[in-house]
Amino acid sequence: EPEVTQTPSHQVTQMGQEVILRCVPISNHLYFYWYRQILGQKVEFLVSFYNNEISEKSEIFDDQFSVERPDGSNFTLKIRSTKLEDSAMYFCARGDRLTYEQYFGPGTRLTVT
Amino acid sequence: QKEVEQDPGPLSVPEGAIVSLNCTYSNSAFQYFMWYRQYSRKGPELLMYTYSSGNKEDGRFTAQVDKSSKYISLFIRDSQPSDSATYLCAMTSSGAGSYQLTFGKGTKLSVIP
């Protein structure tokens, strides 16, 4: 049983379009993360979200990216104007504050054409 | 120097063999170490979490940490075809703010029946 679910499982979009990727935690947690994995590459940290605020972001997470928790439950990653190089798997993870373990969702495969 | 180095393989072993997977790291601040299993185009699945130097065992899996050498290992005993996957090491430190994970590139393992 996944700790978090993600929708959609696969998103195809044209370059320049906006996309919203969604993460739904199974239960109420405070720590969330977004990571991405370009095909054949490492899993890379994008942003962390604690108590409804960004706590840290990587160099990858530029002005084209944003995160929200609009309804206190769903957790979204928005890419405003997609580029070809944004094609990747995007993973949401929830964190355990006491043990630092992170549990990943199944991912959204984003294809930018 | 890369923060986390992991031999990408591929590694092919016969069923029943003992598998040894390894990562080295350069950042001495890393204190928390995780091993994930990832099937193709799926989310990473947490297998093992360790904090201190030494061994931790869970069923057929043993995680080993040597902080003095900045070296971690995952051993799989009695390997099964279902163990065929990519194994990712990941680590974080208490000084990493939000405890974001730094990953190795992953080792692709095939267990041949």
Side-chain angles (χ1 to χ4, degrees), chain A residues 33 35 37 42 48 99 102, chain B residues 4 36 38 49 98-99 101:
Chain A
Y33 304 82
Y35 293 84
Q37 186 178 30
K42 289 185 179 187
S48 58
T99 66
Q102 292 184 24
Chain B
V4 180
Y36 288 86
Q38 186 179 31
Y49 164 79
S98 63
Y99 313 104
L101 297 176

Side-chain angles (χ1 to χ4, degrees), chain A residues 89-106:
Chain A
M89 287 289 290
Y90 287 80
F91 297 109
C92 171
R94 73 95 173 162
D96 187 303
R97 179 62 181 88
L98 294 179
T99 66
Y100 312 110
E101 297 170 358
Q102 292 184 24
Y103 297 89
F104 283 71

Side-chain angles (χ1 to χ4, degrees), chain A residues 31 33 35 37 39-43 45 48 55-56 89 91 97 99-107 109, chain B residues 2-5 32 34 36 38 41-44 46 49 88 92 94 96-101 103-105:
Chain A
Y31 284 88
Y33 304 82
Y35 293 84
Q37 186 178 30
L39 188 63
Q41 302 297 315
K42 289 185 179 187
V43 176
F45 167 72
S48 58
S55 56
E56 197 142 358
M89 287 289 290
F91 297 109
R97 179 62 181 88
T99 66
Y100 312 110
E101 297 170 358
Q102 292 184 24
Y103 297 89
F104 283 71
R109 181 156 63 106
Chain B
K2 294 177 184 176
E3 276 205 292
V4 180
E5 302 236 28
Y32 308 99
M34 279 150 266
Y36 288 86
Q38 186 179 31
R41 292 191 169 174
K42 302 292 184 185
L46 181 63
Y49 164 79
L88 313 175
T92 188
S94 59
S98 63
Y99 313 104
Q100 68 267 25
L101 297 176
F103 280 84
K105 199 172 179 181

Side-chain angles (χ1 to χ4, degrees), chain B residues 21-66:
Chain B
L21 305 166
N22 313 293
C23 286
T24 58
Y25 60 96
S26 57
N27 187 348
S28 57
F30 287 141
Q31 298 174 295
Y32 308 99
F33 305 92
M34 279 150 266
W35 285 95
Y36 288 86
R37 177 172 61 196
Q38 186 179 31
Y39 296 108
S40 181
R41 292 191 169 174
K42 302 292 184 185
E45 174 194 358
L46 181 63
L47 285 176
M48 299 285 284
Y49 164 79
T50 54
Y51 165 62
S52 57
S53 284
N55 293 356
K56 181 178 179 181
E57 192 173 313
D58 185 0
R60 295 185 296 112
F61 298 91
T62 299
Q64 196 172 74
V65 174
D66 182 349

Side-chain angles (χ1 to χ4, degrees), chain A residues 45-64:
Chain A
F45 167 72
L46 292 177
V47 65
S48 58
F49 201 75
Y50 169 65
N51 207 21
N52 298 329
E53 289 185 355
I54 290 177
S55 56
E56 197 142 358
K57 53 187 179 180
S58 71
E59 291 177 354
I60 303 168
F61 194 88
D62 61 22
D63 292 343
Q64 293 299 311

